Each structure stands twice: as structure tokens, then as C-alpha cells.
Amino acid sequence: MLARGEGHIQYTASMAGILTSHGNLPYAVTKHAVVGLAEWLSITYGDKGIGVTCVCPMGVATPLLEAITGAEDATARVAAASITTAGEVLSAEDVAAATLAGVREDRFLVLPHASVLDMYRGKGT
């Protein structure tokens, strides 16, 4: 990309990358790391023609979410409930469309769930 002078990198971090994830230290820290990496790359290479988009969705209807929602393990079900009750669960297609729009518009941060922006603003207060 540097040799061409153009390109675009897209990361998916989860809303936990800009907020946090209660009770799951490894998940919260790794998602924050993804946002930090994306931000560093954007700052370092943005003026060299390389765009970076970081997507931070909340609940997304995936086979993984479906599996833990119906899991025998009570901890997995509680984790699923924390996702499904926190806000709207979007389809993977809706998140993909928001991601593609963000890349096309060369936006750094894509928040498919509008409520995440309000939560992020609340974090500062």
C-alpha cells in the first residue's frame, strides 16, 4: 500500500473497544488494543494515502450469538443476555452495509448502533 500510495485497512473491534466489557478482562483489553492499533495506523499512514476504518458494533445476529443464547452453560447464557438486552441486535448484513459505507466515505470510526455513540459520550461524563 505504501508503494502504491493508496489502500484501506478495516478492523472490527466491537463496542467494547471504545467502551468496555464488564466481567471479561481479556475481551475488553483486546478490543481496546484493536482500536488503538487502528488509530495508530490511521495517524501514521493517513497522510500517505492509506485509510483506516474501525467498526465497533454492539450486538450482531451471528451463529455465535445464537449458540451462546441457547447454551447449556449458565455463564454463556448470561453473556448472551448481556448482549441481547443492551440494545438492538443488528443483522450481519446491516453491519456489513454500515462498514462498507464507512470505508467508502473514508471514516475512521463506524458505529452501526447509534446508541453506542451516546454511551461513548456518556463515558466522558
Side-chain angles (χ1 to χ4, degrees):
M1 285 188 262
L2 281 174
R4 280 195 322 260
E6 65 178 356
H8 203 97
I9 303 168
Q10 184 269 309
Y11 290 96
T12 303
S14 162
M15 65 82 179
I18 60 171
L19 299 171
T20 196
S21 179
H22 296 286
N24 193 336
L25 174 67
Y27 187 81
V29 171
T30 56
K31 297 306 178 177
H32 275 76
V34 171
V35 174
L37 172 63
E39 184 178 59
W40 187 90
L41 289 169
S42 180
I43 290 167
T44 303
Y45 297 109
D47 63 348
K48 295 176 175 62
I50 299 172
V52 178
T53 296
C54 189
V55 184
C56 297
M58 199 160 47
V60 181
T62 63
L64 174 60
L65 181 57
E66 184 179 319
I68 65 173
T69 298
E72 289 184 26
D73 179 56
T75 302
R77 287 193 315 274
V78 168
S82 73
I83 295 166
T84 59
T85 61
E88 181 182 8
V89 175
L90 297 179
S91 72
E93 292 80 9
D94 287 342
V95 175
T99 300
L100 187 55
V103 169
R104 286 183 174 149
E105 296 164 12
D106 198 27
R107 275 188 284 136
F108 174 75
L109 189 60
V110 173
L111 304 175
H113 295 80
S115 60
V116 171
L117 180 57
D118 292 333
M119 292 177 201
Y120 182 66
R121 288 176 175 148
K123 180 181 172 180
T125 60

